[in-house]
Amino acid sequence: AQKITQTQPGMFVQEKEAVTLDCTYDTSDPSYGLFWYKQPSSGEMIFLIYQGSYDQQNATEGRYSLNFQKARKSANLVISASQLGDSAMYFCAMREGVGANSKLTFGKGITLSVRP
Amino acid sequence: NAGVMQNPRHLVRRRGQEARLRCSPMKGHSHVYWYRQLPEEGLKFMVYLQKENIIDESGMPKERFSAEFPKEGPSILRIQQVVRGDSAAYFCASSPQGPISGNTIYFGEGSWLTVV
């Protein structure tokens, strides 16, 4: 089974509106972390937001918030007040456990296009 | 604060040549990870290193690929006798501690390898 699933086709949003990018995950480890990264057309990977499995509250970072639903194993990224510069690929990733072999596993990504 | 530095950003090699990709982690970070991104795909884990040690190389192809992180100097990902299928973006990431779930890792801007 895939660890991280991002199944939305290319997403479009009007400038200044909010958009939700979906991510579901699969793990049996009680300790894990969920991450979102942005990859603009220039190629670099930009860390956006992190949610720990034991965190009581949803993570927020400026215009980014993570809608963490543990029972559903979903960690959707919400971008409020979209800007043209938000057009990019967005990757959800998970790190499981605390052992030495814990590493990030990425989803296939979602393309977001912001319309003026 | 300099981020994770990778060079070269772009590298073109003929089939059969060697490719060497370098990564200097963020200051104070002693844990380095290499990921590969094929076109239209998410990042795939290759190897995790600490200074002078390979901790996890479960994502490395069995042949032609090697990685090191010497006591002094950058981490090197080496691909011998490159083939067209090695064309990809190679990302390096670093973290200050081991892969505890809550520990964010930071990515470099990537090295784009093109094999002609």
Side-chain angles (χ1 to χ4, degrees):
Chain A
Q2 283 192 358
K3 293 280 188 179
I4 295 286
T5 302
Q6 296 179 266
T7 57
Q8 288 169 305
M11 294 286 289
F12 294 86
V13 65
Q14 204 67 31
E15 194 178 7
K16 299 180 186 176
E17 292 187 350
V19 63
T20 298
L21 306 181
D22 295 341
C23 173
T24 59
Y25 60 92
D26 181 31
T27 181
S28 56
D29 201 310
S31 178
Y32 54 91
L34 297 157
F35 302 78
W36 277 91
Y37 286 86
K38 171 185 177 182
Q39 187 177 40
S41 57
S42 51
E44 68 268 33
M45 293 290 287
I46 303 167
F47 166 73
L48 296 178
I49 196 166
Y50 163 80
Q51 179 85 44
S53 59
Y54 296 118
D55 292 345
Q56 296 294 316
Q57 295 188 331
N58 287 346
T60 60
E61 289 285 348
R63 293 186 299 112
Y64 304 109
S65 60
L66 204 152
N67 184 2
F68 181 43
Q69 298 193 32
K70 198 168 182 176
R72 292 185 180 183
K73 293 189 175 179
S74 74
N76 298 341
L77 177 70
V78 180
I79 305 175
S80 62
S82 297
Q83 301 172 357
L84 295 177
D86 293 335
S87 294
M89 281 282 286
Y90 288 81
F91 292 95
C92 179
M94 176 174 66
R95 168 180 272 168
E96 298 172 275
V98 296
N101 290 333
S102 173
K103 52 192 175 275
L104 279 180
T105 302
F106 283 81
K108 292 194 173 182
I110 302 169
T111 301
L112 175 66
S113 299
V114 180
R115 292 174 168 147
Chain B
N1 265 342
V4 179
M5 305 298 292
Q6 289 189 248
N7 69 83
R9 286 296 308 278
H10 299 277
L11 182 64
V12 179
R13 284 287 177 266
R14 296 186 184 279
R15 280 178 293 170
Q17 291 185 319
E18 178 179 287
R20 282 190 180 223
L21 309 177
R22 293 173 189 78
C23 169
S24 295
M26 285 180 73
K27 188 176 181 180
H29 289 194
S30 58
H31 300 259
V32 165
Y33 314 80
W34 285 93
Y35 285 78
R36 176 165 63 175
Q37 184 180 29
L38 296 170
E40 310 297 323
E41 302 246 340
L43 277 67
K44 295 279 195 278
F45 169 79
M46 298 182 76
V47 63
Y48 158 46
L49 311 105
Q50 295 179 30
K51 285 284 188 183
E52 299 184 278
N53 289 306
I54 296 174
I55 307 301
D56 180 356
E57 56 181 347
S58 58
M60 287 279 269
K62 293 284 185 284
E63 298 175 347
R64 302 187 298 108
F65 284 71
S66 61
E68 62 176 10
F69 189 17
K71 190 176 179 180
E72 301 290 337
S75 175
I76 306 285
L77 179 67
R78 181 183 178 204
I79 311 171
Q80 295 177 288
Q81 298 175 319
V82 295
V83 301
R84 287 221 171 105
D86 296 333
S87 295
Y90 292 84
F91 285 90
C92 173
S94 73
S95 66
Q97 300 170 26
I100 300 169
S101 289
N103 218 1
T104 302
I105 69 171
Y106 295 90
F107 283 84
E109 293 186 328
S111 290
W112 268 257
L113 172 65
T114 302
V115 179
V116 296

